[in-house]
Amino acid sequence: MHKHQHLLPIFVASLCAAFALIDEVDGEYLIGVGSYDMTGPAAGVNMMGYANTDQNTAGIHFRLRARTFIVAESSQGARFAFVNLDAGMASQLVTIKVLQRLKTRFGDLYTQENLAISGTHTHAGPAGYLQYVVYSVTSLGFINQTFDAIVTAVEQSIIQAHNNLKPGSIFLNTGDVENAGINRSPSAYLFNPPEERARYTTNVDTTMTLLKLLDSAGNRSIGAFSWFATHGTSMSRENRLISGDNKGAAARFFEDWFTFSNNSLSTRNTKFSTIQNISTLRNKAQKIKATGGKPCGKTTSQGFKVRKNDGSRFVGAFCQSNVGDVTPNVLGAFCTDTGKPCDFNHSSCNGNDQLCVGRGPGYPDEILSTKIIGERQFEKAMELFSSATNPSSGKIDYRHAYINFTSIEVQLNESTVVKTCPAAVGASFAAGTTDGPGVFGFQQGDTEINEMWKRLRDLLKEPSQYQVDCQKPKPVLLSTGEMFVPYAWAPAILPIQILRLGNFVILSVPGEFTTMAGRRLREAVKETLINNGNGEFDNETHVVMAGLTNTYSQYIATFEEYKQQRYEAASTLYGPHTLSAYIQEFKKLAKAMATGEQLGGTGLSPPDLSSVQLSLLQDPLGDSPPPGKRFGDMQQDVAQPKGGSFKKGDKPSATFWSANPRYDLLIEGTFAVAEMLQGERWVPVYDDDDFCLYFKWNVTVDNSSLYGLATIEWEVPEDAASGVYRLRHFGSSKKTKDSPNEYFTGASSAFSVS
């Protein structure tokens, strides 16, 4: 039985409900979805998220994608586009360059006003695509290849969604996701007023909000976008494989389940299965040897993809929300030396923050944890998808503003005005979190910095006295808002945005709001809309927060949480009144939306720092195979099991001589394939976008020369059909700097699965 076969009745009910609802709601909007591969360099590039200089890419677990939905009132009417990236966060420079490309193609149809680009917050994607120094130190600066892959994917997914626009309907549903996130800073949450905490049953938001997208003309579901808060840290700081983490996994499970169920298949390869004697399979496999390396074309691997991107596929996106203090490591944080729970207030073990590490539900297997948290989100999404009966109707609208967050005057009450500060991080920023511990000598909750660290800090930039006073009680470790060499270290001008789809409202925020901070902002916006909307908004108005959207400015903690100075507070850049500033400025946007006022703009815009970016990343290694070998030849063929056949759960693997995968990212292609023999034909059934197939790359030294190796490992899934299989590798090489790429492929010897 297929892993998710038990959900087939839900899917059937979903289709029946969809057809009934389509009859009732006659194409309220134009709707289009799109998706495009954005997998960046898979070798030797630092990963974005943990700021771990040793965490460099060394292969692919599954690919990263940009997923887009566009909704419009008419072909030339009001519209907005929402893009969900399998990335750590959005980037201001990505937004700038995407908008430039869209203007060339579409004119003013998509602008900064009505385009939102949001990150899932995976910590397992390539870094080097943000323009501010503090976010590119560990990646050794800007990585053009990472940046270009993301910008192109966003652009292409939008183009695809735009070209797919058809009359359709949208349905909203909400429900609670169980045990997919816990609060990693519960002591800071307790600093919030007890009467406020008493209004909530948990210290995290468990609600998932889902939009179901239907194509009225074709009587079919085309996509679903959901918002739920949990960190993309199921994969640890030790991981080296590119991965969309738990939200990327949920998207892969959702899209595959929908596609294969929709085709009435219990698995992707059921139609290939044949009843054969096991000994017959073994004998057949033993006769088929490795092919050796052979040349192929630039796009050959695209033909071996299991999921070919023709623009018609179902798109399922799992978007981020107020994720600041929410971890997917739901078993809690424990000391690695004693196995006991970490200190409650400081998340350390006898003063050592590096020993305090969170455990996912599959502990100690981080891939299993990723799968479990992904499945919990996916299964709730399918449930909401199948039962969504609340149609969205009403106008499409949006408001956007650029705000200089370094000096906002915030009116707290009639007699009290405070200000935000230039950006700075505190001592606990260096301590890291239970998801990824930081530097030895720091603890979460530190409100003092020792003299040695102060001297080292001052070598970079001594914070001004104004900054020190403004940021209190945060002890300023790095005054990033006052650092401009070689260019700006942190953002000053940030975008805020509200998107409206009838009674559904998205708040695009450029950072990670803690649970309570997100609740306060949502409530303030909803109250403003209701009080100023002349009945257009009511208690049924649903407000969600899209975190890490349009740019990135780290965390936003509440004023009370800021006092304890755990990691989230230490990373709240603009001082203790950051949240109050967000609430004030978002209320202005909400009032303008409710009253129909068109804002004239602030006259501000963020800088484009592309011309001053530095990059210290070395060129790829592994330019040629050993003497007498070709790229694609076997270095280590599949080791046949003792019993003669592999069984479900086994991990056959093969290693090929290969070139560095940075020579060509094989976008919408694949580096790895598991093929199944059907008659005389080999059929691809799994590729490097599958959770069960791993592409790993490393360098070996032989006679003082460096050679590249690509290992393909396949964890045979429970739903794999018995048969004869082999593993295939694709790659690209360069002979010299000036020569064009040469593409190659090779396949292992065959083996049987019983």
Side-chain angles (χ1 to χ4, degrees), residues 392-430:
S392 293
S393 61
K395 69 188 299 185
I396 293 172
D397 204 357
Y398 44 83
R399 294 293 185 277
H400 173 283
Y402 283 122
I403 310 291
N404 187 337
F405 263 77
T406 66
S407 58
I408 300 174
E409 290 191 350
V410 183
Q411 187 89 36
L412 295 182
N413 52 49
E414 290 184 1
S415 59
T416 306
V417 177
V418 294
K419 290 187 71 172
T420 55
C421 320
V425 294
S428 297
F429 167 76

Side-chain angles (χ1 to χ4, degrees), residues 476-556:
V476 177
L477 180 64
L478 285 175
S479 186
T480 53
E482 297 181 312
M483 299 169 70
F484 301 98
V485 178
Y487 41 91
W489 279 58
I493 298 170
L494 301 179
I496 62 173
Q497 181 186 53
I498 301 179
L499 306 174
R500 177 189 178 186
L501 174 61
N503 246 22
F504 176 69
V505 175
I506 302 172
L507 309 182
S508 300
V509 297
E512 302 175 59
F513 280 61
T514 63
T515 297
M516 194 64 85
R519 289 167 175 170
R520 290 184 191 176
L521 180 60
R522 290 198 308 262
E523 289 176 1
V525 168
K526 183 173 180 177
E527 181 181 14
T528 303
L529 292 171
I530 292 173
N531 291 342
N532 295 276
N534 287 325
E536 281 195 45
F537 300 94
D538 54 28
N539 287 329
E540 298 303 313
T541 297
H542 198 93
V543 180
V544 300
M545 177 174 292
L548 306 114
T549 301
N550 292 330
T551 191
Y552 184 62
S553 60
Q554 292 173 249
Y555 285 75
I556 300 90

Side-chain angles (χ1 to χ4, degrees), residues 366-385:
E366 62 186 326
I367 289 177
L368 179 58
S369 291
T370 301
K371 182 180 182 181
I372 292 171
I373 298 297
E375 286 181 335
R376 288 173 182 173
Q377 293 174 78
F378 152 64
E379 293 191 0
K380 175 55 64 172
M382 281 306 311
E383 177 187 323
L384 298 177
F385 183 84

